[in-house]
């Protein structure tokens, strides 16, 4: 058991004794303040100065045994007991030039402190007996108490011990206070760090679970469109490649940050979540859509944003949801303003949606669909290049085309 644990155990098992010690110590403090006034009135300077020191001493002891202060209550109380005995001798000498023998009865009280851990009952009995004898001889039968003179050596020794004890206690209390303050701060920092790590771990697990649910839901929607779901993996990888390179090139530095890249990669799988409201007859139609059918297909952007808006009410991750809504609603907008659903143009289109548009169109071009066969990747690159400034953000197209090697690695990795 550590020293701190032992002190805590003492404090818990001796609560009633702790209360008694506090009462007695505070009483001793009041007593010495009264004695200070008395010695000042009698012009006994030696004891007047000793009592100033005693008041400081007992004030410190009173603080040490306050509730919640982690220290063995017997330590300050025992020191206070010693101090009282020495002052009794010194006071009697300076007042009457002699010392009474009854201080030996006071010394009996020390035995209680020495055996309290193993023999609590005996300690209490000895303490009470010591106090009773002191009162009897001091108040009722003072004539029976032998007196004697104190020589210079003994007097000097008592003074030295009294001053040394007080200085040691004050220094010790200062050291203890500094140590305990440091230890409390250290313990608090450790607890904060531990809790922070625990929260970060839990948040990471929640985020991982959210991503799995999102990817599963998005994959389910994509599978309705006869795609294998690999479209989600590829487009998520494409947007990360484009965003990272844009970050390195300091393109849109106020928007494209490391956090933005993480949010965009997480949000990308949600871009076609609104297709859940589009009938299979339209999603799986092998031929060209009619005007009415295309209008229904266009609804997947606004419906996807609506679904995410509903989710926003139960989620604290507002930045992620906003990014996901921007991607979902805006990935069919065009740079020249002829896209849907809001006919946004140029930089009115969120950057996340502009990046998603390039990734989505490129993957649609090189992948088989129910209504078309895939085209070669070089032809797809050419189409992206030709539509720079009309369909796509020219700066982002340049970034995309500079990353062909990485794009083709993704094609190989996520294509069966």
């Amino acid at each position: 058991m550590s020293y701190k644990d032992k002190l805590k155990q003492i404090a818990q098992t001796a609560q009633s004794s702790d209360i008694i010690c506090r009462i007695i110590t505070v009483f001793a403090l009041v007593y010495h303040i009264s004695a200070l006034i008395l010695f000042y009135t009698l012009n006994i300077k030696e004891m007047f100065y000793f009592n100033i020191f005693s008041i400081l001493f007992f004030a410190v002891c009173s603080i040490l045994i306050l509730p919640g202060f982690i220290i063995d209550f017997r330590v300050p109380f025992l020191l206070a007991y010693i101090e009282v005995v020495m002052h009794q001798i010194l006071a009697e000498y300076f007042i009457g030039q002699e010392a009474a023998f009854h201080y030996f009865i006071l010394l009996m009280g020390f035995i209680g402190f020495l055996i309290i851990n193993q023999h609590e009952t005996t300690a209490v009995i000895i303490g009470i007996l010591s106090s009773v004898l002191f009162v009897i001889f001091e108040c009722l039968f003072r004539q029976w108490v032998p007196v004697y003179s104190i020589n210079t050596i003994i007097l000097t020794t008592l003074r030295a011990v009294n001053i040394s004890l007080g200085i040691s206690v004050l220094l010790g209390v200062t050291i203890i206070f500094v140590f305990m303050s440091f230890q409390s701060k250290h313990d608090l920092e450790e607890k904060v760090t531990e809790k922070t790590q625990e929260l970060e771990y839990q948040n990471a697990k929640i985020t991982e679970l959210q991503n799995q649910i999102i990817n599963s839901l998005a994959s389910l929607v994509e599978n309705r469109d006869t795609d294998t779901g690999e479209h989600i993996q590829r487009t998520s990888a494409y947007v990360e490649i484009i965003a990272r390179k844009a970050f390195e090139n300091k393109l849109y530095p106020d928007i494209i940050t490391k956090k933005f890249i993480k949010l965009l990669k997480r949000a990308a799988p949600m871009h076609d979540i609104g297709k859940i409201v589009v009938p299979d007859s339209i999603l799986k139609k092998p031929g060209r859509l009619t005007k009415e059918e295309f209008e229904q297909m266009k609804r997947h952007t606004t419906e996807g944003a609506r679904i995410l808006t509903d989710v926003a009410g139960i989620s604290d991750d507002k930045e992620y949801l906003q990014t996901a809504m921007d991607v979902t609603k805006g990935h069919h907008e065009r740079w020249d303003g002829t896209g849907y659903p809001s006919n946004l143009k140029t930089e009115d289109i969120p950057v996340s949606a502009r990046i998603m548009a390039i990734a989505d169109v490129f993957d649609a071009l090189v992948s088989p669909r129910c209504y078309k066969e895939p085209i070669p990747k070089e032809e797809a690159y050419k189409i992206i290049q030709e539509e720079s400034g009309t369909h796509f953000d020219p700066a982002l197209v340049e970034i995309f085309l500079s990353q062909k090697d990485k794009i083709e690695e993704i094609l190989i990795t996520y294509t069966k």
Side-chain angles (χ1 to χ4, degrees):
M1 181 183 294
S2 67
Y3 179 69
K4 185 183 287 187
D5 292 337
K6 186 176 181 181
L7 290 180
K8 288 181 179 178
Q9 187 179 36
I10 291 172
Q12 291 171 353
T13 56
Q15 185 176 5
S16 59
S17 299
D18 188 15
I19 295 172
I20 294 172
C21 288
R22 283 199 292 272
I23 293 173
I24 294 175
T25 306
V26 173
F27 172 78
L29 176 62
V30 175
Y31 168 81
H32 276 75
I33 293 174
S34 303
L36 182 69
I37 299 172
L38 173 64
F39 291 130
Y40 179 80
T41 304
L42 297 176
N43 197 29
I44 303 176
K45 294 181 179 179
E46 292 87 348
M47 290 309 299
F48 175 78
Y49 294 125
F50 274 142
N51 270 270
I52 291 178
F53 198 81
S54 296
I55 289 171
L56 294 174
F57 180 91
F58 280 104
V60 169
C61 288
S62 299
I63 294 172
L64 286 177
I65 56 179
L66 286 174
F69 206 103
I70 309 295
I71 190 168
D72 188 343
F73 70 92
R74 294 168 302 168
V75 174
F77 192 65
L78 180 58
L79 294 174
Y81 207 111
I82 296 172
E83 203 272 349
V84 167
V85 170
M86 287 192 299
H87 267 229
Q88 185 68 33
I89 298 171
L90 291 169
E92 291 184 345
Y93 173 78
F94 283 115
I95 292 174
Q97 299 298 313
E98 58 188 18
F101 190 72
H102 63 248
Y103 77 90
F104 286 107
I105 298 173
L106 281 172
L107 291 175
M108 290 175 59
F110 295 159
I111 300 174
F113 290 102
L114 300 177
I115 65 175
I116 191 170
N117 271 345
Q118 292 79 22
H119 308 283
E120 288 84 357
T121 303
T122 305
V124 172
I125 292 174
I126 292 175
I128 293 173
L129 177 62
S130 173
S131 300
V132 170
L133 290 175
F134 174 77
V135 171
I136 290 174
F137 284 106
E138 178 72 15
C139 301
L140 302 178
F141 302 101
R142 188 169 180 80
Q143 68 275 14
W144 293 358
V145 177
V147 296
Y148 59 93
S149 298
I150 301 178
N151 62 40
T152 305
I153 295 176
I154 294 177
L155 183 62
T156 302
T157 302
L158 286 173
R159 286 175 168 175
V161 172
N162 185 70
I163 295 172
S164 299
L165 175 64
I167 293 175
S168 299
V169 168
L170 292 176
L171 289 176
V173 168
T174 302
I175 293 171
I176 291 172
F177 179 77
V178 171
F179 172 77
M180 292 185 66
S181 298
F182 173 79
Q183 189 66 33
S184 298
K185 181 180 179 182
H186 178 69
D187 292 345
L188 180 60
E189 288 176 350
E190 283 189 345
K191 289 180 180 179
V192 169
T193 301
E194 183 180 339
K195 288 294 183 184
T196 300
Q197 291 174 345
E198 183 180 340
L199 287 173
E200 287 177 350
Y201 174 77
Q202 293 297 331
N203 287 337
K205 295 294 288 183
I206 291 172
T207 300
E208 181 182 354
L209 179 60
Q210 286 176 338
N211 289 340
Q212 290 176 354
I213 294 172
I214 288 168
N215 289 337
S216 297
L217 179 60
S219 180
L220 178 64
V221 174
E222 290 292 337
N223 284 336
R224 293 179 61 231
D225 198 15
T226 68
D227 185 52
T228 62
E230 292 171 352
H231 171 69
I232 294 169
Q233 296 171 313
R234 291 192 298 267
T235 52
S236 296
Y238 296 155
V239 297
E240 182 180 19
I241 290 170
I242 298 170
R244 286 195 182 281
K245 188 61 178 177
F247 175 75
E248 292 173 8
N249 290 1
K250 294 182 173 53
L251 180 65
Y252 306 123
D254 294 339
I255 300 173
I256 302 179
T257 62
K258 290 183 178 179
K259 185 174 184 180
F260 172 87
I261 296 170
K262 291 180 181 179
L263 291 172
L264 179 57
K265 185 180 179 182
R266 285 180 59 200
M270 302 296 288
H271 71 280
D272 277 338
I273 193 70
K275 284 184 178 180
I276 198 168
V277 303
V278 180
D280 284 352
S281 59
I282 296 176
L283 280 178
K284 298 180 181 181
K285 184 176 180 179
R288 188 178 183 86
L289 298 179
T290 66
K291 183 178 179 180
E292 291 76 14
E293 289 171 337
F294 185 60
E295 288 299 321
Q296 288 194 58
M297 176 64 81
K298 286 163 61 174
R299 288 178 55 218
H300 81 276
T301 55
T302 53
E303 287 299 314
R306 181 188 61 78
I307 292 170
L308 292 173
T309 300
D310 292 341
V311 173
I314 59 173
S315 174
D316 291 331
D317 198 345
K318 305 302 182 185
E319 287 185 275
Y320 162 68
L321 287 170
Q322 184 59 55
T323 304
M325 283 191 280
D326 288 343
V327 165
T328 301
K329 188 175 181 180
H331 70 285
H332 283 291
E333 299 288 355
R334 294 171 61 97
W335 186 255
D336 61 7
T338 60
Y340 65 88
S342 303
N343 300 120
L344 298 178
K345 61 189 302 184
T346 61
E347 295 189 0
D348 290 337
I349 307 169
V351 174
S352 54
R354 286 182 254 163
I355 295 174
M356 189 73 241
I358 296 173
D360 189 41
V361 170
F362 176 79
D363 195 68
L365 291 172
V366 298
S367 303
R369 291 288 188 269
C370 60
Y371 53 86
K372 74 170 193 66
E373 293 296 324
I375 66 173
K377 57 181 180 293
E378 290 302 329
E379 187 177 343
Y381 289 137
K382 185 178 179 181
I383 292 172
I384 297 294
Q385 176 68 67
E386 289 173 349
E387 296 197 4
S388 174
T390 55
H391 190 160
F392 308 115
D393 180 339
L396 290 174
V397 169
E398 185 178 346
I399 293 289
F400 173 76
L401 294 176
S402 72
Q403 301 298 297
K404 288 183 180 180
D405 291 344
K406 293 181 179 179
I407 297 295
E408 288 168 16
E409 285 180 13
I410 300 301
L411 271 172
I412 295 170
T413 303
Y414 294 109
T415 302
K416 292 183 180 179

